[in-house]
Amino acid sequence: MIQPMLLLLILKKPTHGYELIQSFNALHEDEIVEPGTIYRNLRRMEKEGFVLSNWEATETGPARRNYAITRAGLKALQGAVLKLKQQKKEIEDFLTEYSDLAAKEGHSDEN
Amino acid sequence: MIQPMLLLLILKKPTHGYELIQSFNALHEDEIVEPGTIYRNLRRMEKEGFVLSNWEATETGPARRNYAITRAGLKALQGAVLKLKQQKKEIEDFLTEYSDLAAKEGHSDEN
DNA sequence: AAGCCTATGTGCGTCATGCACTTAGTGTTA
DNA sequence: TAACACTAAGTGCATGACGCACATAGGCTT
């Protein structure tokens, strides 16, 4: 889940890790992700050729490593989308089975 | 995903690990799960009090360890259902964002 | 006797994450 | 000026989950 979300964020707007952490955890208010995890995912994706980084000097603070998505990254994102569609279907099937059984057996939980 | 599916299977029909492996991988034809993973999950869930096991001798082969779900296991299953609903929503949000962007930018992929 | 199916488990390596910490530049405040 | 806070990136260590391979063992078939 983390990798595709990062790829999508970078695709929407190429940026650096620190801002990605903010954006990521803004959507994920509940279960926040550690900075270290984000940084490591970015470096991993760069090693795999899904993103490219270049340092940018700033006047207001430390230098930033900016990320942009590559063609391979787009392919990876498309692949991840397919997997997520599949995963969504599996979850739906599971929830359906659960609801059916709960309805029959009376482990009622409907809201 | 493995744990809730096992809990649901056991809830539907208390049974032993070997059969759970068959049932599990029958639904999951694509990405099959290792027997070791199933067995370890079952033992873990027993340690956490979600299931109870008892040995049953058979005449046709080696003894089986039969599993039944506990009240705590039912609670855990309900909790997992809530998490999966949440997770499903996150995936849907992601897919929506992706589709919107793909539509606008022309990274067309609609099928 | 050899091989297969049922049935449960373990040992080892790998990978991903959380938690905590480090480094470093800049600005603010007591 | 010293302490603190914010930005920005990263690492070290422990933990946890999984795959792969292997071990063990009962019973049936060829």
Side-chain angles (χ1 to χ4, degrees):
Chain A
M1 197 72 205
I2 294 174
Q3 279 203 29
M5 289 206 65
L6 288 177
L7 284 175
L8 183 57
L9 285 171
I10 295 171
L11 172 58
K12 286 169 86 171
K13 175 173 168 296
T15 181
H16 55 101
Y18 191 79
E19 196 183 6
L20 286 167
I21 294 168
Q22 318 297 327
S23 316
F24 195 97
N25 287 324
L27 306 176
H28 266 237
E29 295 127 6
D30 32 308
E31 250 173 299
I32 58 169
V33 179
E34 289 296 312
T37 301
I38 304 278
Y39 286 122
R40 274 190 278 238
N41 269 278
L42 290 170
R43 304 309 302 277
R44 189 189 317 151
M45 289 196 294
E46 184 168 24
K47 210 190 293 174
E48 294 175 56
F50 298 157
V51 292
L52 280 177
S53 78
N54 59 311
W55 285 98
E56 173 205 17
T58 65
E59 289 152 1
T60 60
R64 300 164 172 174
R65 188 191 282 273
N66 280 311
Y67 286 95
I69 195 167
T70 65
R71 196 163 297 272
L74 275 174
K75 290 272 183 189
L77 178 55
Q78 288 168 14
V81 164
L82 293 182
K83 269 189 189 160
L84 285 169
K85 284 181 181 173
Q86 170 95 16
Q87 204 178 320
K88 183 192 153 199
K89 191 173 172 297
E90 279 174 25
I91 293 177
E92 283 168 349
D93 290 350
F94 174 84
L95 292 174
T96 300
E97 278 185 59
Y98 176 79
S99 299
D100 288 356
L101 185 127
K104 278 179 196 163
E105 297 228 5
H107 301 285
S108 50
D109 218 33
E110 340 73 63
N111 31 350
Chain B
M1 195 74 205
I2 294 176
Q3 279 203 29
M5 289 204 67
L6 288 177
L7 285 174
L8 183 57
L9 285 172
I10 295 170
L11 173 58
K12 287 169 84 171
K13 174 175 170 294
T15 182
H16 54 102
Y18 192 78
E19 196 183 8
L20 286 167
I21 294 168
Q22 317 297 326
S23 316
F24 195 97
N25 287 324
L27 305 176
H28 266 240
E29 297 128 4
D30 32 307
E31 251 174 297
I32 59 168
V33 178
E34 289 295 311
T37 301
I38 304 278
Y39 285 121
R40 273 190 280 237
N41 269 279
L42 289 170
R43 304 309 300 276
R44 190 188 317 150
M45 289 197 294
E46 184 167 26
K47 210 189 294 174
E48 294 175 55
F50 299 157
V51 292
L52 280 177
S53 76
N54 60 312
W55 286 98
E56 172 205 17
T58 66
E59 290 152 0
T60 60
R64 300 165 173 171
R65 189 191 280 274
N66 278 311
Y67 286 95
I69 194 166
T70 65
R71 196 164 298 273
L74 274 175
K75 290 272 184 189
L77 179 54
Q78 287 168 15
V81 164
L82 292 182
K83 270 189 191 163
L84 284 170
K85 282 181 183 173
Q86 170 95 18
Q87 204 178 318
K88 182 192 155 202
K89 191 173 169 298
E90 279 173 25
I91 293 177
E92 283 168 349
D93 291 348
F94 174 84
L95 291 175
T96 300
E97 278 184 60
Y98 176 79
S99 299
D100 288 356
L101 185 126
K104 277 181 197 162
E105 296 226 7
H107 300 287
S108 50
D109 220 32
E110 341 71 65
N111 32 348

